[in-house]
Amino acid sequence: MKNLALSLFIPAVFLAGASAQAATASKADAAKAISTAAATMKTAASYDNQWLETVADFKAAKAADAKGDYSTAVKKADRADTLAKLSINQSKAQKKLWQNEVPK
């Protein structure tokens, strides 16, 4: 459980740093962030563990990009990327942790 808590904390620190970068985002920054999030979400989907909020943030990032609000697009895409990474970590942890719950 300690490892799971740590795996949730570390991406949160990166998310906080990404918000500072989003203040001066360009169209290229938004495109890169959206592309990165899409790739991470694809990996999360391969684990059959795609969180609903991840998809919502990704859609919001694409909508903000279409409107030309690149700062919001980067912020939402970075959040979607972080949530996708967290869902991947959760899947990997659950593959091992379920064994502790089986009666012996």
Side-chain angles (χ1 to χ4, degrees):
M1 188 64 159
K2 186 176 183 181
N3 289 338
L4 184 58
L6 184 60
S7 68
L8 296 176
F9 172 75
I10 292 172
V13 172
F14 290 115
L15 184 60
S19 297
Q21 176 195 14
T24 58
S26 67
K27 184 174 184 172
D29 294 332
K32 181 178 178 184
I34 289 170
S35 174
T36 301
T40 308
M41 288 174 62
K42 185 176 180 181
T43 302
S46 73
Y47 282 96
D48 293 326
N49 193 26
Q50 187 84 300
W51 293 352
L52 296 176
E53 195 166 340
T54 307
V55 176
D57 281 338
F58 185 72
K59 287 180 181 178
K62 290 182 78 173
D65 182 52
K67 291 180 183 177
D69 185 359
Y70 303 123
S71 295
T72 301
V74 169
K75 182 179 173 183
K76 292 292 187 177
D78 285 346
R79 187 167 191 273
D81 183 58
T82 300
L83 291 174
K85 288 176 183 174
L86 289 172
S87 70
I88 292 167
N89 290 344
Q90 180 188 33
S91 291
K92 289 178 179 179
Q94 290 300 321
K95 283 186 178 185
K96 296 176 185 174
L97 293 175
W98 73 269
Q99 297 169 356
N100 295 335
E101 302 299 323
V102 177
K104 294 179 181 167

